[in-house]
Amino acid sequence: MKYPRSYHLYFSPGATSDDRIAISTDSLINTEIIITEKMDGSNTAIMNKGVYGRSHGDYTQNAWDRPMWDLWNLIKRDIDDGLYLFGENMYGIHSIEYTKLKSYFYLFGIRSDDVWLSWSTIEEYSYLLSIPTVPVLFKGIVKSDSELRKLVEDLSNQPSALGGLREGIVVRNANEFHNDNFSTNLMTWVRKDHVTTTIHWTRDWKPSKLIR
């Protein structure tokens, strides 16, 4: 199963007519949440048998996915059957050129069969596999929709933790949840006009650079 389509928070300015909008944030209120930076990369899944792009129709063979296969070769024996490591592939520059990348892959979710693992478990895998998570901007509990909205909008006005613009924000339940409930446990905020790549991106793409 590929990565589910994320619902936008109802106040996300980058939502388009093709996007799905969450009409309520009630499921994220008065429960522990994690707010992370939404990075401008390629959604990628690594499992013990190979590397998938967003479609999951077949293993990816794109040139900008080569570092993902290098990583897979290092960790494939440590990934159990049914476990998917989801993250942002940052090797190819999209709309934002980051200046403080320390890795080409940033972990943001792990699914075990039909269950999305808790953020604390993701951090354990991050440590054990030496894979960074996407930047964490907030951990805690908010008590109202207005408090959540102010927090998200304040964080969205800050620059990226990895240098450059901040594309967006991801708010998720810090605990584990079933894939059937994905849309009520994870929501996104995206800045207006966040996509500036063209149809020629796959032909003209450039690799990003890591800081040492």
Side-chain angles (χ1 to χ4, degrees):
M1 293 182 294
K2 66 180 182 179
Y3 191 82
R5 192 171 182 182
S6 301
Y7 278 52
H8 282 249
L9 291 160
Y10 69 88
F11 52 88
S12 172
T16 68
S17 58
D18 294 330
D19 291 317
R20 297 178 181 177
I21 311 297
I23 60 174
S24 171
T25 62
D26 288 351
S27 56
L28 299 173
I29 307 301
N30 290 316
T31 191
E32 187 177 1
I33 60 171
I34 300 292
I35 298 181
T36 59
E37 181 170 339
K38 185 180 187 302
M39 298 176 64
D40 186 24
S42 299
N43 186 309
T44 301
I46 299 177
M47 58 181 302
N48 58 11
K49 295 180 176 64
V51 179
Y52 284 109
R54 183 64 186 256
S55 69
H56 285 217
D58 198 358
Y59 299 122
T60 179
Q61 301 297 329
N62 296 316
W64 52 86
D65 294 320
R66 288 170 188 162
M68 304 302 101
W69 284 100
D70 293 339
L71 176 60
W72 173 78
N73 271 309
L74 293 174
I75 67 174
K76 59 185 177 182
R77 294 178 181 84
D78 298 316
I79 304 175
D80 294 334
D81 289 340
L83 199 70
Y84 289 77
L85 308 180
F86 287 92
E88 291 284 0
N89 172 6
M90 305 302 298
Y91 186 54
I93 299 172
H94 289 251
S95 300
I96 300 172
E97 185 170 359
Y98 295 92
T99 59
K100 299 179 181 178
L101 291 177
K102 296 182 179 180
S103 172
Y104 288 131
F105 187 71
Y106 283 82
L107 194 64
F108 60 67
I110 300 177
R111 192 180 65 217
S112 178
D113 293 324
D114 293 327
V115 176
W116 291 91
L117 303 184
S118 68
W119 188 260
S120 61
T121 304
I122 293 171
E123 290 181 325
E124 290 178 15
Y125 274 91
S126 169
Y127 174 77
L128 293 171
L129 299 176
S130 297
I131 301 172
T133 68
V134 291
V136 176
L137 309 178
F138 174 83
K139 291 183 179 182
I141 296 174
V142 294
K143 297 184 177 181
S144 67
D145 174 79
S146 59
E147 182 183 352
L148 177 62
R149 179 169 182 168
K150 183 179 187 306
L151 177 60
V152 168
E153 291 180 340
D154 286 347
L155 291 172
S156 68
N157 286 323
Q158 299 174 12
S160 169
L162 296 172
L165 295 173
R166 176 161 287 167
E167 184 192 52
I169 301 290
V170 178
V171 185
R172 63 153 284 173
N173 189 330
N175 303 302
E176 69 175 36
F177 51 88
H178 196 276
N179 194 61
D180 291 345
N181 302 318
F182 185 88
S183 64
T184 57
N185 283 281
L186 186 146
M187 301 175 194
T188 64
W189 181 103
V190 180
R191 64 184 174 86
K192 187 177 180 180
D193 301 325
H194 64 286
V195 176
T196 59
T197 51
T198 70
I199 59 174
H200 304 296
W201 183 88
T202 58
R203 186 179 64 210
D204 303 329
W205 73 279
K206 297 178 181 180
S208 59
K209 298 178 181 179
L210 301 181
I211 61 171
R212 303 296 182 183

